[in-house]
Amino acid sequence: MSQSRILVVEDEPAIAETILYALESEGFEAIHCGTGGEALIAFRERPTDFIVLDVGLPDITGFDVCRELRKTSDVPILFLTAREGEIDRVVGLEIGADDYVVKPFSPRELTARINAIFRRTAHRPKPVEDSDAEVIKNGRLELLLERYLARLDGRELDLSRYEFGMLKIFMKHPGRVYSRDQLMEQVWDEPEAALDRTVDAHIKTLRRKLHEVDPDFDPVKTHRGIGYSFSDD
């Protein structure tokens, strides 16, 4: 098996050196970029298996780098930040991060988080070119499961694996109310590792992506204090 390649995007040389040493000691191939712009170029030239991404970069923020990467890639991303607020964690989840580590951190903690994310994403659905893939249709929405493709009114939706997983559950059981814990148990490979507001953050981005096609289309219903359901009306 070839080495997993990890891109470390960190502008502080001492921290970057510590991370690179820890990753290489774990058997990963690690490369370093000091700015967001360099990271985007490096990723386009040779896609990597994982990205450790500092939020506070000197040119553009790590959030902006993540948003740009998510336009074309579902590569796992772990944010590094000096800020501890919950808002930061939720923002990171909303734009597609897989985890979040606050500085200062131990190299052992970082590599443990990375290995956990690799385990979670090992079963990520992969697109295939099979035109006969299993299809779920419910009203205006259509899911091609084997191709990991979602469409609303025939327009393709750029969903994360978590958004796709929740939508699949909702469309299979319209009207059924799922608690946050139930959704995490069925969609996340390691639900105990998820943050408190993980489901809410991904529901928010799922709704936003549906509204980009039709601002009035809102099939995901909130049941305050309980969870969420899907309406096929």
Side-chain angles (χ1 to χ4, degrees):
M1 180 181 294
S2 61
Q3 285 180 304
S4 294
R5 187 169 188 263
I6 299 181
L7 174 61
V8 178
V9 190
E10 168 61 60
D11 64 314
E12 297 184 45
I15 295 177
E17 184 176 347
T18 298
I19 295 172
L20 292 172
Y21 179 80
L23 294 177
E24 290 167 355
S25 298
E26 286 284 311
F28 296 114
E29 177 189 357
I31 62 170
H32 172 242
C33 290
T35 69
E38 291 174 359
L40 292 173
I41 293 172
F43 186 80
R44 285 195 295 268
E45 291 178 347
R46 186 182 173 192
T48 61
D49 302 300
F50 196 104
I51 298 178
V52 177
L53 179 58
D54 187 23
V55 171
L57 297 170
D59 53 346
I60 58 177
T61 70
F63 292 148
D64 290 332
V65 174
C66 182
R67 290 187 184 97
E68 187 64 26
L69 290 169
R70 282 291 175 257
K71 293 178 181 179
T72 58
S73 174
D74 205 22
V75 61
I77 295 174
L78 181 146
F79 275 131
L80 302 177
T81 183
R83 292 175 286 184
E84 299 187 49
E86 182 178 285
I87 292 176
D88 285 339
R89 295 198 299 272
V90 173
V91 169
L93 288 169
E94 287 178 351
I95 63 177
D98 292 82
D99 204 349
Y100 203 97
V101 173
V102 177
K103 299 175 183 178
F105 54 85
S106 71
R108 180 176 296 181
E109 176 193 7
L110 181 65
T111 55
R113 296 282 190 97
I114 291 170
N115 283 318
I117 294 171
F118 269 127
R119 288 194 298 271
R120 296 203 300 267
T121 58
H123 307 292
R124 180 180 301 180
K126 301 294 183 182
V128 299
E129 298 301 323
D130 181 6
S131 59
D132 297 323
E134 182 182 352
V135 177
I136 300 176
K137 291 185 177 180
N138 199 315
R140 300 163 59 187
L141 281 165
E142 176 184 49
L143 299 184
L144 283 70
L145 300 185
E146 292 184 7
R147 294 182 59 192
Y148 194 51
L149 178 65
R151 296 190 184 114
L152 172 59
D153 294 339
R155 289 180 54 181
E156 186 173 336
L157 300 170
D158 182 20
L159 302 185
S160 72
R161 62 187 179 280
Y162 302 122
E163 294 157 3
F164 187 93
M166 289 192 295
L167 192 55
K168 180 176 73 172
I169 291 171
F170 287 142
M171 289 175 62
K172 281 187 173 182
H173 304 283
R176 176 175 172 178
V177 179
Y178 288 90
S179 69
R180 292 167 179 79
D181 287 342
Q182 288 173 327
L183 289 170
M184 282 195 289
E185 286 291 337
Q186 296 193 47
V187 177
W188 276 256
D189 293 299
E190 292 188 11
E192 66 278 2
L195 299 173
D196 290 343
R197 294 183 61 188
T198 296
V199 171
D200 295 340
H202 286 286
I203 290 289
K204 181 178 179 179
T205 56
L206 173 59
R207 283 174 167 152
R208 175 176 56 77
K209 291 173 183 180
L210 294 172
H211 291 166
E212 288 173 357
V213 178
D214 181 351
D216 297 321
F217 185 65
D218 190 13
V220 180
K221 307 302 179 185
T222 299
H223 300 265
R224 189 175 299 275
I226 303 174
Y228 300 95
S229 68
F230 178 87
S231 172
D232 57 356
D233 294 338

